């Protein structure tokens, strides 16, 4: 089982790091520990340990590598989603692993962070998913959409057709959702109570026929609805 940090601030975002490479875990821990609002409460060297640590520590965010022994990060993501629904999952990825993104989305991941990316992006991504938002590291977003998208013009037209049935308010909510804002953040931006925003978000996901906020953000990006920092450089 992974080690638990000695420092733990009750109001801080509690994070679990799972990666089979000790140096990667150490590097991610060092970056996150520089933020006084984030506590790394546990580490795991494989997916099985990650699930056990998530159940034991109930972190706000689980950062999972994809390729791990015993149980990979995708299976761990799905299991954490089932057994620890209060824990948001963000995937630690590389450009060579974009083929796994669609499965991770289906498994409930709401963040995709590049291992070799800007440390600020890592902290920003953790905060976004902990707050109920969705976050794609900008370079990951451009690469994933290009690789998964095939013909961008065709996908763009399809995405624009998908959002055509949204009301103007639902489009505003979708655009802000794609920027990585939580329901509370969207509410502050649009001067709406959080419960109302939750209803709009649910309606948008249903109308777009997507399973989570990241999938909705990708539709917004492809439709040209957003230039939010969570999807662009």
């Amino acid at each position: 089982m992974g080690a638990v940090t000695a420092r733990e601030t009750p109001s801080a975002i509690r994070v679990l790091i799972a990666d089979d490479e000790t140096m990667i875990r150490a590097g991610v821990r060092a970056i996150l520990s520089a933020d006084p609002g984030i506590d790394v409460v546990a580490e795991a060297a494989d997916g099985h340990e990650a699930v056990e640590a998530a159940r034991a520590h109930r972190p706000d965010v689980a950062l999972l590598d994809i390729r791990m022994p015993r149980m990979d990060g995708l299976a761990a993501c799905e299991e954490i989603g089932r057994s620890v629904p209060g824990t948001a999952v963000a995937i630690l990825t590389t450009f060579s692993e974009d083929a796994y993104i669609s499965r991770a989305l289906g498994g409930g991941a709401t963040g995709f962070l590049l291992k070799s990316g800007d440390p600020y992006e890592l902290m920003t991504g953790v905060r976004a998913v902990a707050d109920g938002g969705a976050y794609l590291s900008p370079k990951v977003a451009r690469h994933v959409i290009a690789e998964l998208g095939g013909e961008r013009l065709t996908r763009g037209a399809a995405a624009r057709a998908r959002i055509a049935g949204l009301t103007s308010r639902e489009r505003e909510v979708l655009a802000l959702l794609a920027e990585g804002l939580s329901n509370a953040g969207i509410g502050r931006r649009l001067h709406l109570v959080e419960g109302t925003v939750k209803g709009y978000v649910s309606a948008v996901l249903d109308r777009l026929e997507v399973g989570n906020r990241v999938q909705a953000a990708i539709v917004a990006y492809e439709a040209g609805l957003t230039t939010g920092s969570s999807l662009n450089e």
Side-chain angles (χ1 to χ4, degrees):
M1 183 63 66
V4 180
T5 182
R7 177 181 62 87
E8 187 170 338
T9 305
S11 60
I13 297 168
R14 306 173 71 254
V15 177
L16 157 68
I17 302 170
D19 195 296
D20 60 333
E21 295 187 34
T22 303
M23 290 298 291
I24 294 293
R25 294 201 309 272
V28 172
R29 172 186 279 272
I31 290 169
L32 296 181
S33 295
D35 187 327
I38 298 175
D39 280 332
V40 177
V41 297
E43 294 182 14
D46 60 53
H48 182 70
E49 284 187 3
V51 172
E52 289 188 345
R55 289 171 176 164
H57 298 283
R58 303 281 168 171
D60 300 303
V61 178
L63 292 177
L64 306 180
D65 181 30
I66 292 178
R67 297 173 182 171
M68 293 188 289
R70 291 211 289 171
M71 177 188 289
D72 65 25
L74 300 176
C77 173
E78 293 168 358
E79 184 56 37
I80 289 172
R82 283 192 295 267
S83 59
V84 197
T87 295
V89 175
I91 300 296
L92 289 169
T93 186
T94 66
F95 285 152
S96 65
E97 296 172 328
D98 54 9
Y100 299 100
I101 297 298
S102 59
R103 182 180 163 192
L105 286 169
T110 55
F112 295 89
L113 307 171
L114 192 63
K115 287 184 179 182
S116 59
D118 186 335
Y120 175 76
E121 287 180 13
L122 181 61
M123 290 185 283
T124 299
V126 165
R127 287 187 169 279
V129 298
D131 200 28
Y135 188 89
L136 279 74
S137 177
K139 291 181 180 178
V140 172
R142 288 195 299 111
H143 186 74
V144 167
I145 290 169
E147 291 297 314
L148 297 182
E151 300 178 8
R152 280 295 305 278
L153 292 177
T154 300
R155 289 182 62 86
R160 287 190 291 274
R162 292 175 73 179
I163 70 169
L166 302 180
T167 66
S168 59
R169 178 62 87 184
E170 286 170 345
R171 289 192 189 193
E172 288 179 322
V173 169
L174 175 59
L176 295 175
L177 180 155
E179 290 183 18
L181 272 65
S182 65
N183 289 350
I186 294 172
R188 288 190 293 271
R189 188 77 66 87
L190 298 180
H191 306 291
L192 298 172
V193 298
E194 189 171 347
T196 300
V197 173
K198 184 177 180 180
Y200 276 123
V201 170
S202 179
V204 166
L205 297 184
D206 287 343
R207 289 176 183 271
L208 296 181
E209 298 182 340
V210 296
N212 59 46
R213 300 169 79 102
V214 175
Q215 292 172 325
I218 290 175
V219 173
Y221 178 85
E222 291 176 338
L225 190 62
T226 179
T227 56
S229 60
S230 62
L231 289 175
N232 298 276
E233 286 188 307

